[in-house]
Amino acid sequence: MNAESPRPPTDPQLAAAECERLARPVGSAFRLASLKLPPARQRAVTALRALDVSLAEIPETVSEPQVAMAKLDWWREALLGMTRGRHDHPVIQSLASALEAIGLVEEARREDSPLVGRLEERLGAARIELEYEGFAAEADLEAFLDARYASVFHLYGRLLDLPADQLEAAARLGRWHGRLDRARLLGRHARVGRVYLPQETLNRYGLDEADLYREATPAARDQLFRDELERIHAGLSDWPASGRPARLFRILRAIDREHLRLMREAPAELTGGRVEIRPLRQWWLAWRASW
């Protein structure tokens, strides 16, 4: 049974407004990063971000597994419908319209196209979250991060018409952005039984999952957190491509680095709360990275 029924076409302005609401709330990092994009490209990345947010909300907010899986299956059908020219949701409608405006609509209508393949990877990551079984090895976690984050960053680059080497660099940046995102939410996720660290890593430090949120802090846990943050720092510093990152990625990376700096100053915040940047500071970081 579908979680939602197909909808009649929405007024294009209302569909775009729904994407804005989901993807670019005032003061958000993504809004700052996408602010100066050419209008057609901005609409495309905004629609993609709105789809990403819609998928992310399912494992985070739907407590009943069967309902969550039904919603995910509905989105899968909706994306399949897009390849057939059918738009069952304002976000899908807006995405299809934006892809047409930048000359990618034919690729979006081929089920075997790389563009659709990346969207399917993102759907697969949502299923992994819903059917969470942990990550035995580092390779397992990286595969999840690639599907959950790298696929979307690669698509951002595709929508911005970046050269091939920058697309791959954008995907790698997405992996490290995702690793930081999981670190920022580590405590909240651990409390509901989802740990985005490999079991082999926990074993190496002599820890189990419960150690990640116990009030008594094992010394090994602090060392694990410090090492994880250092690893993310090295990853975010890497850009294995010619030329500078596109403005969108420069700003997202600058804000990620600030989150990382704050977390490195207080690694206990990985389980105690979520480090946030003051709005004015975030705006200044985005302004500086845009040049």
Side-chain angles (χ1 to χ4, degrees), residues 225-242:
F225 288 173
R226 285 193 292 269
D227 292 348
E228 178 70 6
L229 295 177
E230 287 300 321
R231 186 174 188 180
I232 295 170
H233 173 73
L236 288 176
S237 300
D238 187 28
W239 179 254
S242 58

Side-chain angles (χ1 to χ4, degrees), residues 52-286:
D52 183 38
V53 170
S54 297
L55 294 175
E57 286 178 345
I58 296 173
E60 293 290 344
T61 63
V62 181
S63 58
E64 176 55 51
Q66 289 183 331
V67 174
M69 195 61 71
K71 284 181 174 289
L72 182 58
D73 288 341
W74 185 91
W75 277 105
R76 178 172 285 105
E77 289 298 317
L79 284 171
L80 181 62
M82 185 179 72
T83 67
R84 299 168 180 171
R86 194 181 76 238
H87 309 136
D88 294 338
H89 191 280
V91 169
I92 299 294
Q93 179 181 328
S94 193
L95 178 60
S97 176
L99 291 173
E100 184 171 11
I102 61 175
L104 291 177
V105 69
E106 291 304 320
E107 185 174 345
R109 289 178 179 168
R110 297 201 323 268
E111 292 182 39
D112 61 346
S113 73
L115 189 154
V116 174
R118 294 284 180 178
L119 292 175
E120 289 176 344
E121 287 180 35
R122 178 64 187 90
L123 282 165
R127 182 172 287 274
I128 290 173
E129 291 184 84
L130 290 177
E131 299 176 340
Y132 175 83
E133 295 182 352
F135 304 94
E138 180 68 27
D140 300 320
L141 176 61
E142 288 191 355
F144 166 75
L145 294 172
D146 284 349
R148 171 65 178 82
Y149 297 95
S151 61
V152 177
F153 271 57
H154 189 283
L155 283 172
Y156 288 150
R158 183 78 176 86
L159 299 180
L160 297 176
D161 198 27
L162 300 185
D165 66 328
Q166 291 214 7
L167 291 179
E168 292 308 313
R172 286 172 61 90
L173 181 62
R175 178 192 294 175
W176 292 107
H177 168 85
R179 194 152 191 152
L180 177 64
D181 188 51
R182 295 291 119 170
R184 291 177 66 212
L185 296 171
L186 191 150
R188 188 173 88 183
H189 285 152
R191 287 180 176 86
V192 295
R194 288 187 284 162
V195 174
Y196 293 91
L197 288 170
Q199 186 61 48
E200 66 177 9
T201 299
L202 295 176
N203 292 343
R204 190 164 65 248
Y205 286 83
L207 299 170
D208 58 38
E209 292 186 0
D211 290 324
L212 299 180
Y213 56 86
R214 285 187 176 127
E215 289 187 11
T217 305
R221 187 185 76 176
D222 288 348
Q223 187 61 51
L224 167 61
F225 288 173
R226 285 193 292 269
D227 292 348
E228 178 70 6
L229 295 177
E230 287 300 321
R231 186 174 188 180
I232 295 170
H233 173 73
L236 288 176
S237 300
D238 187 28
W239 179 254
S242 58
R244 300 173 71 199
R247 185 180 186 275
L248 175 79
F249 298 126
R250 294 202 307 273
I251 293 175
L252 291 176
R253 184 169 68 170
I255 292 172
D256 276 351
R257 283 173 165 172
E258 179 67 3
H259 277 126
L260 184 61
R261 182 186 70 81
L262 295 172
M263 292 163 69
R264 290 168 81 187
E265 289 179 355
E269 286 298 316
L270 267 70
T271 58
R274 183 170 178 171
V275 172
E276 298 294 348
I277 304 171
R278 296 191 307 274
L280 186 60
R281 172 70 173 171
Q282 185 162 268
W283 179 89
W284 183 83
L285 289 165

